[in-house]
Amino acid sequence: MKINDNFEKLPENYLFAEVARRLAEYRRNHPDAEVIRMDIGDVTRPLPEAAIKAMHEAVDEMASSATFHGYGPEQGYSFLRDAIAQWDYADRGIAIKADEIFISDGAKSDLGNLGDIYSDDSVVAVADPGYPVYVDTAVMSGRGGILENGRWSKIVYLDCNEGNGFRPLPPCRHADVVILCSPNNPTGVAYSREELKRWVDYARKEKALIIFDSAYEAYEYGSEFPRSIYEIEGAEEVAIEVRSYSKTAGFTGMRCGYTVVPRKVSGFDGNGNSIELRKLWNRRQSTKFNGASYIVQRGAAALYTPEGMRELRATIEYYLENARLIRDTLIGLGYTVFGGEYSPYVWVKARTGESSWDMFTHLLENKHISCTPGIGFGESGDGYIRLTGFNTRENTLKAMKRFSEL
Amino acid sequence: MKINDNFEKLPENYLFAEVARRLAEYRRNHPDAEVIRMDIGDVTRPLPEAAIKAMHEAVDEMASSATFHGYGPEQGYSFLRDAIAQWDYADRGIAIKADEIFISDGAKSDLGNLGDIYSDDSVVAVADPGYPVYVDTAVMSGRGGILENGRWSKIVYLDCNEGNGFRPLPPCRHADVVILCSPNNPTGVAYSREELKRWVDYARKEKALIIFDSAYEAYEYGSEFPRSIYEIEGAEEVAIEVRSYSKTAGFTGMRCGYTVVPRKVSGFDGNGNSIELRKLWNRRQSTKFNGASYIVQRGAAALYTPEGMRELRATIEYYLENARLIRDTLIGLGYTVFGGEYSPYVWVKARTGESSWDMFTHLLENKHISCTPGIGFGESGDGYIRLTGFNTRENTLKAMKRFSEL
């Protein structure tokens, strides 16, 4: 049996696994060091009480024949799709129908699996630095080409740097699929309405698809930044939006997210015919997926109750306050810092021209703080690290104290 | 953006969706008809109390910072992988290590996603009739070729018929990937040890991979049939085994299953080098999947307790008794019947040379019983229907009474 050769092209280690490995090694050699983890983007706050209550009820339903739930719809239950359509869209003036919303076991799965519906020779454009899953999944499907100097020959890289404020605008080159994340992981910066409009215009002109990863949109609450790509006129014709309950409601271990594929978004087939992508995604999900867990969907739906929304907002405020503490401390210490205002991520430039991994080692050894090296998110990320606000307040304050003692 | 053209090749409707559509139409036109559903393979019994208790505890853990669980390992938690290695394998004399076991959100996802790790030009062999997901996912990845007279040109069909007892043996033709399901869906028949040995020998000779779908193995409890492919000598070098808690523990709505990829199973790359498939699957899952829900994994682990095992066995006995009732009734009425002994499925041959869909319509209209037309599982399934034991005893008895009144 011949393997998919594309797998061999991928570097062996996934970024976070490599960070974990180095961290474990350090801990083994320094068992007394109290390392504060500011690397992984994992949440620490408990789930909202509304979700806990709903999930207990759902578990109880599974204990009795009369209320038992077997297979659910592959696309998700109406109770959740309707709540999303109402509260994440209609309530914000966006016309997305429930049947354009597909519930999944999380944004990571969807971001990887969406590649199934477009042609293997599609040219994919990604921000550099960006979430590694975008590039890795493209490479797995043969959309990478050859790796040279840390970059794949077939992928269009959208360079993010101080010059463009880490918000790259459309390139001159054509791309078939553009993956955007706002507020971005790892840089924490968000696109303005005008900037997103330029991306939508680009997609319309190039007949490209935008995959808009808005896993962190809840952190833009109260800001002027668009929280959905569909706030931009015309986006409903060119964009798929991927969302997650992981970073907003603490669902990283629960596994639930959703993807919006509006009816008007289409691609074209080999004969040039226009094909509704919603139908393809529906077919993909119906065939290779069997719906998200009923219990978890009940938990997610409870987030749309008044109590759920209140608790969710409190959690987000908590993490945002951590991010602001990090941002303010580092700015005070003379660092160049991005993000951390409407995002849980703070993107920090090394002061001494160090590489990302050097800074990682330096922080780990001298401050017992673990961070994520920017290079792990792409070549343009070198010389930067990502710190996250997903810790406890106590640990965040303790880590900032260690920074200040430099 | 150019779509994956392979999607257009697929017939629009997925089998069960088409059955549901026809059923809904019938009910709309005959609102008074009390239709008994013996079509879909969905369970009806509540979850074992051990799983309910474990899931309540897991939900409570998510309510407090001290016990909260964020991201889990993409491969699944050790508490579950260890339990599987012990109770599903070591306890039955099979040496499978915990790190060869990958927990997922269900067998359907894994059966679809496994296609990611082997070459797109792989020749796939499937039983006909068989679970439609095998063929549909192969076609989506370009492994179908052209559809002619209901069959895809690139796929090797293993004809199941009365002559071979619906247990096809290895063909003369080469295949790269052979997907076997035992006890089979939809026919309910299981391979003997000797027959599976011939498949393992074939795979070794042809350097093929066997994907062994043993979603229904628990129904073989107490039989002489092998419940794992790894009971066959040499299988650990050529076979991946996919399992599910759906039909054994009622987890259809919970979403949990697992896939075993032993270290010794390998494929070869474009240069003829041998590559460990376990590494590829690990990479696939780490990149495109973020683990199954913590709560659900806790529920699954509780099945391996003495109470869990006792309850699980009682549930399986319940469904098996339904299947036996169906089998015995239909045999008594002169039908030719397969399965229904160590399987929840009963495979029934039409008596009058009817087509599957004719028999479906006939049963629905005259008996108010819905079944799954055999043709939906492949061309060789025509002239047969599948009935399932996943109903309540009451409904099963009622349906058998209606049959007898013919």
Side-chain angles (χ1 to χ4, degrees), chain B residues 99-116:
Chain B
D99 68 359
E100 296 171 315
I101 297 164
F102 296 82
I103 312 300
S104 74
D105 67 320
K108 189 176 172 194
S109 301
D110 285 354
L111 289 165
N113 295 333
L114 276 167
D116 284 6

Side-chain angles (χ1 to χ4, degrees), chain A residues 55-56 59-60 62-63 254 295, chain B residues 47-62 67 69 79-80 251 254 293-305 307-308 311:
Chain A
M55 290 196 294
H56 273 307
V59 170
D60 280 334
M62 303 303 275
M254 305 297 310
I295 291 171
Chain B
L47 298 188
E49 188 50 43
I52 295 289
K53 185 163 167 284
M55 290 196 294
H56 274 307
E57 286 168 9
V59 171
D60 280 334
E61 286 182 68
M62 304 304 274
T67 51
H69 281 76
F79 63 75
L80 181 53
F251 270 44
M254 305 297 310
S293 179
Y294 172 72
I295 292 171
V296 178
Q297 289 190 64
R298 277 288 176 204
L303 303 171
Y304 294 95
T305 57
E307 316 82 66
E311 292 179 273

Side-chain angles (χ1 to χ4, degrees), chain B residues 73-91 94-104 230 241 245 257-263 276 278 281-282 297 304:
Chain B
E74 286 101 346
Q75 302 82 357
Y77 277 97
S78 291
F79 63 75
L80 181 53
R81 298 172 93 189
D82 289 344
I84 293 166
Q86 179 60 44
W87 297 108
D88 285 347
Y89 294 103
D91 193 51
I94 300 167
I96 291 292
K97 293 210 165 62
D99 68 359
E100 296 171 315
I101 297 164
F102 296 82
I103 312 300
S104 74
Y230 305 120
E241 182 158 283
Y245 296 103
Y258 64 87
T259 284
V260 180
V261 190
R263 273 204 168 63
E276 219 179 86
R278 196 187 72 94
W281 183 242
N282 185 53
Q297 289 190 64
Y304 294 95

